Amino acid sequence: VQLQASGGGLVQAGGSLRLSCAASGRTLSMYVMGWFRQAPGKEREVVSSISWSGGVKWYEDSVKGRFIISRDNAENTVYLQMNSLKPEDTAVYYCAAAASIANIRKGPDYWGQGTLVTVSS
């Protein structure tokens, strides 16, 4: 499956952005999906994940209550709605796909290219 992330940009602190990840090549419903981010000088970290049908969602503690992950399997797209953005959310964001919930955090099978999110103070 090929993944194409989009929606990044420059936003002021407190603002919102919605990232999209469009899949092609295979049906998205076959995969658990996740969003990761990598800030300058830091390791890539998982931000959120969503199960095949969207019934199970997981968030990293720092984004709980601010970010919302969702998916539209009919449109082969996964979203990350980011609200109340903070300067520390600045990073390159990546979407990823895995065959299982365990693998989405340990080692996804497929990665999209990153989209840069910059939050100014």
Side-chain angles (χ1 to χ4, degrees):
V1 63
Q2 291 78 47
L3 304 174
Q4 180 77 32
S6 61
L10 174 64
V11 64
Q12 287 188 330
S16 299
L17 281 175
R18 188 175 82 155
L19 305 183
S20 299
C21 176
S24 61
R26 283 194 170 183
T27 302
L28 195 67
S29 60
M30 297 174 61
Y31 300 97
V32 175
M33 298 298 297
W35 285 97
F36 292 71
R37 67 185 179 187
Q38 186 167 20
K42 295 186 177 181
E43 293 187 355
R44 187 156 51 187
E45 62 175 356
V46 58
V47 173
S48 183
S49 64
I50 187 168
S51 60
W52 301 267
S53 63
V56 178
K57 301 176 184 181
W58 176 89
Y59 299 96
E60 194 269 331
D61 284 346
S62 69
V63 307
K64 281 181 182 176
R66 300 189 298 120
F67 290 11
I68 301 170
I69 191 170
S70 62
R71 66 191 298 162
D72 184 338
N73 287 338
E75 295 293 328
N76 257 13
T77 304
V78 176
Y79 303 97
L80 186 68
Q81 177 67 42
M82 306 186 295
N83 302 318
S84 301
L85 282 161
K86 304 175 181 180
E88 51 263 44
D89 294 318
T90 294
V92 178
Y93 285 72
Y94 301 86
C95 60
S100 70
I101 291 176
N103 284 355
I104 194 63
R105 291 181 221 171
K106 287 193 290 188
D109 301 304
Y110 303 98
W111 290 94
Q113 94 296 350
T115 185
L116 177 62
V117 172
T118 304
V119 184
S120 63
S121 57

